Amino acid sequence: MAHVPQTFFDALAVRTWCGLALRALGRAREEIDAINVYPVADGDTGTNLYLTAESAAAAVEAVFEGHDAHGSGKPALADAARAMAHGALIGACGNSGTILAQLLRGMAQVLAADGETAHTDGEGLRLALRHAADSARQAVAHPVEGTVLTVASAAADAAEAAEGDCGTVARAAYDGARAALAATPGQLAVLERAGVVDAGGRGLVAVLGALVETFTGEAPRAVPVVSGTFPKAGSTEVSAAASEAATTSSDECADAPGTGGPAFEVIYLLEADDTAVARLRERLDGLGDSLVVVGGDGLWNVHVHVDDAGAAVEAGIEAGRPYRIRITHFALGDVHTTGAERQPRERAQRAVVAVVPGEGLAGLYTEAGATTVLARPGEPPASGELVEAVRRAHAREVVLLPNDADLRHTAAAAAEQARAEGIRVALIPTRSAVQGIAALAVHEPERRFDEDVVQMTSAAGATRYAEVTVAERQSWTMAGICQAGDVLGLIDGDVAVIGSDVTVTAETVLDRMLSAGGELVTLVLGDEAPETVADHLETRVRESYLAVDTVVYRGGRQGAVLLIGVE
């Protein structure tokens, strides 16, 4: 879709760029996956870049929506740039996505340096591209030329030599990156053998092409991924060449290509200080390879390939608080697996994938056999993350529980994409984690799929849900005007009670819910819940409502002080 070219790099330009980059990576995803022979020939670089860009774009959209909702006009450049970087950081997938996240963070650090500036010009863009390339290179433990790092550096070099507005600088960076990409087969033997350019670099060229389109309104010409007599991308010749080349490839963090390698990819977000992360880098560097640690200001994204996945996670626990932990076993035929003993895992018949708001509930759902996606307050998962979870469940049939009314459309998009991949997916529109608990309680994998879905849907629908939370600002509600710091009791998504005490408000909410009847009360306590609230509510139910049982769970940092379910 055509758009009005942006003159300066402002918040709207950030938003436009993210949207165009996502579209460009979506078009090129399969092509990039097909030429992915380095660092690991697992055919997912295009997908990982797309998922990372999707998370960045979603974060920027959330900033614009927030300003629209409060009538405060367009966000500042600093707000949009920081949102882009943060979204990419928390959504980064794989080696390539992690490096893209650091590139965007490096740009954001320059663009947001002066929080009051409404926009920047060509000079600011030059500085941003330079800092992005340098910071990405510093984030990689052992940089190798002929990779996305080389392409990023070439883009920054070309931008520094350009004079003019943002459009001129962006086009110079794109041309420099394109030329560097074409030269990557001459820098990495594995690329030359496969007859392809670097997949991560190809993705970065697509992102820079979107930057050119942002400022000129014109999409750059197509980028060749093969040259001369090399086979076409996606063809069986490329696949065969990639497979052969993979036997001697290593990774973007290796000093030279070699054979074999670690069996697991470990990725997690980490809350830790700079000193702890420095020690973590050293430890992980000794455990495996492909080490990339990006981020800052207390939040990091850690990526490493290891044989001992547990040790990599334990290292993160020692450094701080790791979460959104993803461990992937490289499949048979990938560069990091050798020997016939590693057979592909048998696909299960049915699985449940659920979005959960806290670590405690994630543990509960996991114990019940579900594959979980942890959603932190203010950081809802993108559709790509849900698709990845469906794939990770590795089942022919999947029941998807979004557990949030606001995730309905996101979950629907993820379900459609998974269906296109041949997975049978049923979306149960659960609006709270307590409805998901009710659905999971009646889940029976041995039943026919349709019958199982009906029973789970019925259980979720029969569960009324509520939450007790603290207002962050003054606002109008169904129960009147609330002030910042007020305790709010929401029933079925609407504010029903405004109070000043968590326990008193929770009791009022529970009484209103049980006035319509019920047999089981589920309480999920957040970390900020008073120690006595669970005992108080259990006593209230036992003394005032005959034949009603109560079950209590610890939800962790789930956003709400308390979740309540009545069924």
Side-chain angles (χ1 to χ4, degrees), residues 78-170:
D79 294 334
R82 291 192 189 105
M84 172 185 70
H86 182 72
L89 179 67
I90 65 174
C93 295
N95 205 3
S96 54
T98 306
I99 293 174
L100 176 61
Q102 187 65 6
L103 287 166
L104 296 180
R105 176 178 171 81
M107 291 190 70
Q109 287 176 323
V110 174
L111 298 174
D114 185 351
E116 301 302 317
T117 300
H119 63 260
T120 191
D121 55 12
E123 175 61 21
L125 179 54
R126 281 194 291 272
L127 294 173
L129 290 168
R130 177 79 275 162
H131 187 61
D134 293 345
S135 61
R137 189 170 286 270
Q138 291 166 6
V140 175
H142 305 288
V144 171
E145 298 307 322
T147 66
V148 63
L149 299 176
T150 304
V151 176
S153 294
D157 292 342
E160 285 181 328
E163 296 290 340
D165 59 13
C166 289
T168 302
V169 173

Side-chain angles (χ1 to χ4, degrees), residues 510 521-525 534 537-538 550-553 562-565:
L510 187 56
V521 172
T522 301
L523 303 175
V524 183
L525 305 177
L537 295 178
E538 283 187 287
T550 305
V551 60
V552 180
Y553 301 111
L562 175 68
L563 298 177
I564 303 173

Side-chain angles (χ1 to χ4, degrees), residues 402-428:
N403 291 340
D404 187 336
D406 293 336
L407 286 178
R408 182 181 61 179
H409 297 301
T410 300
E416 282 300 315
Q417 183 172 341
R419 291 181 189 119
E421 297 178 8
I423 303 171
R424 190 180 184 188
V425 180
L427 170 61
I428 297 178

Side-chain angles (χ1 to χ4, degrees), residues 79-453:
D79 294 334
R82 291 192 189 105
M84 172 185 70
H86 182 72
L89 179 67
I90 65 174
C93 295
N95 205 3
S96 54
T98 306
I99 293 174
L100 176 61
Q102 187 65 6
L103 287 166
L104 296 180
R105 176 178 171 81
M107 291 190 70
Q109 287 176 323
V110 174
L111 298 174
D114 185 351
E116 301 302 317
T117 300
H119 63 260
T120 191
D121 55 12
E123 175 61 21
L125 179 54
R126 281 194 291 272
L127 294 173
L129 290 168
R130 177 79 275 162
H131 187 61
D134 293 345
S135 61
R137 189 170 286 270
Q138 291 166 6
V140 175
H142 305 288
V144 171
E145 298 307 322
T147 66
V148 63
L149 299 176
T150 304
V151 176
S153 294
D157 292 342
E160 285 181 328
E163 296 290 340
D165 59 13
C166 289
T168 302
V169 173
R171 186 169 290 281
Y174 173 80
D175 290 341
R178 195 171 186 273
L181 177 67
T184 55
Q187 296 171 292
L188 274 178
V190 62
L191 300 178
E192 186 174 23
R193 282 192 297 274
V196 296
V197 297
D198 178 66
R202 169 65 182 91
L204 179 57
V205 169
V207 172
L208 291 173
L211 188 64
V212 174
E213 189 173 359
T214 298
F215 293 113
T216 67
E218 300 176 0
R221 60 189 183 278
V223 178
V225 296
V226 295
S227 60
T229 58
F230 292 150
K232 294 182 179 179
S235 67
T236 54
E237 289 87 349
V238 162
S239 299
S243 177
E244 180 181 354
T247 61
T248 54
S249 73
S250 183
D251 56 68
E252 225 148 293
C253 304
D255 295 319
T259 58
F264 296 95
E265 177 184 59
V266 179
I267 303 174
Y268 50 80
L269 291 177
L270 176 71
E271 292 179 351
D273 59 37
D274 291 4
T275 302
V277 170
R279 294 194 298 268
L280 176 66
R281 288 178 192 269
E282 292 182 5
R283 181 168 178 189
L284 292 179
D285 197 23
L287 286 176
D289 59 32
S290 237
L291 174 61
V292 186
V293 181
V294 304
D297 302 321
L299 180 62
W300 308 81
N301 191 304
V302 179
H303 171 280
V304 67
H305 293 172
V306 292
D307 276 322
D308 189 344
V313 175
E314 288 172 5
I317 294 173
E318 291 179 5
R321 191 181 79 88
Y323 59 100
R324 288 198 184 180
I325 300 168
R326 285 172 287 175
I327 300 174
T328 303
H329 189 295
F330 291 111
L332 185 68
D334 287 347
V335 61
H336 286 337
T337 58
T338 55
E341 70 279 7
R342 288 179 181 164
Q343 297 297 325
R345 181 163 59 101
E346 179 67 25
R347 188 177 290 273
Q349 181 60 34
R350 189 174 309 159
V352 176
V353 172
V355 180
V356 290
E359 296 89 342
L361 281 179
L364 173 67
Y365 273 74
T366 301
E367 288 176 7
T371 297
T372 61
V373 177
L374 186 61
R376 303 189 68 211
E379 297 177 359
S383 63
E385 191 171 351
L386 298 187
V387 173
E388 284 298 297
V390 170
R391 293 171 181 151
R392 192 166 70 248
H394 203 61
R396 299 179 182 88
E397 302 166 340
V398 171
V399 180
L400 182 58
L401 306 175
N403 291 340
D404 187 336
D406 293 336
L407 286 178
R408 182 181 61 179
H409 297 301
T410 300
E416 282 300 315
Q417 183 172 341
R419 291 181 189 119
E421 297 178 8
I423 303 171
R424 190 180 184 188
V425 180
L427 170 61
I428 297 178
T430 48
R431 294 172 289 176
S432 170
V434 291
Q435 288 189 324
I437 292 173
L440 200 56
V442 301
H443 168 56
E444 291 186 13
E446 303 306 317
R447 267 195 302 237
R448 287 180 55 248
F449 184 64
D450 292 341
E451 293 177 358
D452 198 28
V453 171

Side-chain angles (χ1 to χ4, degrees), residues 34-60:
I35 64 169
N36 174 200
V37 299
Y38 187 91
V40 180
D42 49 1
D44 65 356
T45 290
T47 299
N48 287 339
L49 289 170
Y50 179 84
L51 295 175
T52 305
E54 182 183 46
S55 184
V60 174

